């Protein structure tokens, strides 16, 4: 009874026992289980279930996202043309209380008449999104909006950015960076060039972990696409081989990426009341693409396929089995042009209904074990269509 610990009086907030008081769940936990120990049966129950799952994941793993803060504004600081493909603006965003959190945004917009779909990426600080990437995205008619998440919160224990703006804020960096996606999106949605119904969020590795969290917690994001995100992202904590990053390894090296509470699951992983298939399921029924590299063993490609397959049970139950995709390429840990090409094709399919030759359902490990012992519930007779957006960001 995964959720039985949360039972509380009507209307009372859920009680959260410490990690060592949670029940042991050896396999991937059941995402359909409710706090009272029964399972949801109708699709219309999914929005409330999703919210409960997210609250649990935030409480034990990432911590809360910061408050919304003041209206996000942008000041253009530079502008250049990219041949006849479009143009690039450098923008300084002001977010947080009184706009004190300053974040750089690079906005590449195709030539011609919009509005255009957007690829939103938080990894600008890594300086890898050069003209080749800009051209690849513009050439296919998409905006590339890349912000520097390390200005939202530094990639260290230092308390700058949102941590300085809200001194009592106790979420980890992944939660702060997910908030950065949401606030950058607030700004993008004020621009006439932006097609607000066609936003894809992506990022690499630690940037993929927070892109997944951002997509799971904000229904304005139509496509969520973590790349090589592994442990704390699209990989799973319970099942991995010796070459993969574990919960213990990641918390030891990067405790500040998570809420302090998460350390309570070190050498105690089976007490996690969720695993990362649960976070993936929280994106449903919106589109989700996981891009993986077969040589990136640290990021647990096999365990990532397992989270994909388990989350796909939720997608299928919601009537959207083709909205969740996975793609494996040869090679190692990187977010290269070919990963962007894969994402752009997935977006073409999901956002425009186009036909492409690439497949998003090919499994690299067809013999991977089924590491969960539940299946989707039989739907109650009154159950109807796929639920629509309900709750915005958390
Ligand atoms: C590694 C870390 C991974 C991944 C990677 C990266 O050192 O163990 O979880 O986040 O860094 O972000 O490139």
């Amino acid at each position: 009874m995964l959720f039985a610990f949360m039972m509380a009086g009507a209307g009372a907030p859920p009680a959260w026992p410490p990690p060592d008081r949670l029940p042991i769940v050896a396999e991937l936990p059941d995402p359909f289980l409710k706090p009272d120990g029964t399972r949801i049966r109708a699709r219309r129950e999914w929005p409330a279930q999703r919210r409960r799952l997210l609250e649990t994941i935030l409480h034990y793993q990432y911590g809360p996202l910061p408050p919304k803060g003041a209206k996000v504004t942008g000041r253009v600081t530079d502008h250049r043309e990219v041949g006849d493909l479009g143009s690039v603006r450098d923008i300084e965003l002001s977010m947080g209380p009184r706009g004190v959190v300053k974040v750089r945004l690079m906005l590449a917009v195709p030539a011609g008449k919009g509005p255009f779909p957007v690829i939103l990426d938080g990894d600008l600080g890594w300086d890898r999104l050069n003209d080749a990437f800009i051209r690849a995205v513009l050439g296919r008619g998409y905006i590339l909006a890349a912000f520097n998440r390390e200005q939202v919160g530094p990639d260290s224990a230092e308390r700058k950015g949102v941590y300085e703006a809200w001194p009592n804020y106790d979420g980890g960096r992944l939660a702060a960076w997910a908030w950065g996606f949401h606030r950058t999106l607030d700004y993008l949605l004020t621009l006439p060039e932006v097609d607000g119904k066609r936003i894809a969020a992506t990022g690499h590795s630690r940037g993929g972990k927070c892109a997944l969290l951002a997509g799971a917690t904000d229904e304005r994001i139509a496509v969520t696409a973590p790349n090589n995100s592994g442990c704390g992202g699209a990989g799973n904590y319970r099942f991995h081989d010796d070459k993969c990053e574990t919960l213990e390894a990641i918390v030891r090296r990067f405790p500040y990426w998570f809420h302090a509470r998460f350390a309570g699951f070190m050498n105690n992983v089976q007490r996690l009341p969720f695993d990362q298939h649960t976070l993936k399921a929280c994106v449903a029924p919106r589109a989700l693409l996981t891009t993986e590299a077969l040589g990136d063993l640290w990021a647990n490609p096999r365990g990532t396929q397992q989270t994909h397959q388990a989350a796909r049970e939720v997608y299928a139950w919601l009537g959207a089995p083709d909205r969740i995709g996975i793609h494996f390429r040869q090679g190692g840990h990187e977010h290269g042009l070919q990963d962007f090409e894969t994402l752009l094709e997935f977006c073409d399919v999901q956002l425009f209904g186009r036909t492409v030759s690439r497949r998003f359902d090919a499994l690299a490990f067809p013999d991977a074990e089924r590491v969960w012992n539940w299946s989707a519930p039989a739907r109650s007779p009154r159950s109807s269509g796929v639920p629509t957006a309900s709750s915005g960001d958390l």
Side-chain angles (χ1 to χ4, degrees):
M1 284 214 194
L2 165 62
F3 268 111
F5 63 88
M6 281 175 58
M7 280 180 71
W16 303 104
D20 58 3
R21 300 267 300 282
L22 292 167
I24 288 185
V25 185
E27 302 210 308
L28 298 184
D30 180 356
F32 296 101
L33 205 56
K34 289 193 288 184
D36 65 3
T38 65
R39 305 178 84 209
I40 60 168
R41 290 188 59 210
R43 284 174 177 168
R44 73 186 135 68
E45 293 179 86
W46 178 248
Q49 177 70 355
R50 168 180 171 265
R51 177 162 280 274
R52 283 190 287 264
L53 294 171
L54 282 174
E55 282 168 1
T56 309
I57 291 170
L58 293 181
H59 177 81
Y60 286 113
Q61 183 172 199
Y62 301 112
L65 273 57
K68 211 165 173 178
K71 183 177 167 10
V72 179
T73 56
R75 184 173 65 86
V76 178
T77 56
D78 201 9
H79 181 272
R80 70 184 169 91
E81 301 298 319
V82 186
D84 51 14
L85 278 178
S87 60
V88 178
R89 268 171 262 166
D90 263 321
I91 296 169
E92 184 188 69
L93 297 177
S94 299
M95 33 178 100
R98 301 171 310 285
V100 295
V101 181
K102 306 290 183 195
V103 177
R104 188 177 157 226
L105 170 70
M106 181 200 74
L107 188 70
V109 181
K113 198 171 142 33
F116 303 101
V118 178
I119 305 293
L120 173 59
D121 183 312
D123 297 339
L124 185 67
W126 280 341
D127 267 345
R128 288 203 295 235
L129 293 169
N130 58 26
D131 263 21
F133 289 85
I134 293 173
R135 286 174 180 278
V137 176
L138 292 182
R140 296 181 69 111
Y142 286 74
I143 288 175
L144 177 59
F147 71 98
N148 184 356
R149 59 182 157 73
E150 289 169 49
Q151 293 174 301
V152 176
D155 196 352
S156 70
E158 217 184 340
R159 292 186 63 86
K160 291 234 175 96
V162 291
Y163 296 89
E164 203 164 38
W166 285 291
N168 296 324
Y169 173 59
D170 71 349
R173 297 299 176 276
L174 296 171
W177 295 338
W179 177 91
F181 274 88
H182 299 171
R183 301 292 72 83
T184 304
L185 184 50
D186 292 348
Y187 172 73
L188 292 174
L189 294 178
T190 66
L191 305 177
E193 304 92 307
V194 165
D195 180 346
K197 297 268 180 261
R198 294 191 170 104
I199 307 289
T202 192
H204 174 54
S205 205
R206 64 198 74 185
K209 303 180 209 299
C210 60
L212 174 56
L213 180 59
T217 50
D218 192 336
E219 291 180 311
R220 299 173 302 173
I221 295 174
V223 178
T224 301
N227 182 76
N228 296 190
S229 61
C231 193
N236 87 70
Y237 286 115
R238 281 177 173 78
F239 298 93
H240 50 78
D241 62 34
D242 305 347
K243 301 206 168 58
C244 303
E245 184 167 33
T246 59
L247 187 152
E248 291 74 33
I250 201 168
V251 174
R252 214 172 294 122
R253 285 176 66 209
F254 304 106
Y256 47 84
W257 286 356
F258 302 92
H259 192 277
R261 231 172 256 132
F262 196 49
F265 294 96
M266 291 170 91
N267 305 309
N268 210 7
V269 70
Q270 293 189 337
R271 291 191 195 270
L272 261 186
F274 53 83
D275 210 310
Q276 296 301 82
H277 68 299
T278 321
L279 183 59
K280 284 186 161 181
C282 290
V283 181
R286 290 167 295 123
L288 169 64
L289 174 69
T290 308
T291 44
E292 291 301 301
L294 291 168
D296 188 7
L297 300 181
W298 185 240
N300 194 4
R302 188 185 181 97
T304 301
Q305 178 184 297
Q306 288 165 322
T307 63
H308 165 77
Q309 290 173 293
R312 193 169 185 277
E313 300 234 9
V314 176
Y315 273 83
W317 184 76
L318 289 171
D322 299 328
R323 287 206 173 263
I324 182 165
I326 193 160
H327 188 271
F328 294 90
R329 62 162 167 76
Q330 299 296 329
H333 190 64
E334 66 157 344
H335 201 185
L337 270 178
Q338 50 170 323
D339 302 305
F340 275 80
E341 289 294 345
T342 304
L343 171 58
L344 288 162
E345 286 202 359
F346 185 74
C347 289
D348 278 355
V349 173
Q350 297 294 335
L351 302 177
F352 295 98
R354 294 180 188 140
T355 306
V356 301
S357 56
R358 203 180 302 249
R359 286 182 55 185
F360 302 102
D361 61 353
L363 302 181
F365 308 95
D367 62 331
E369 316 71 36
R370 187 184 165 97
V371 289
W372 60 101
N373 56 15
W374 44 267
S375 50
R379 272 194 296 276
S380 69
R382 283 184 301 129
S383 173
S384 58
V386 178
T388 48
S390 57
S391 48
D393 52 3
L394 284 185

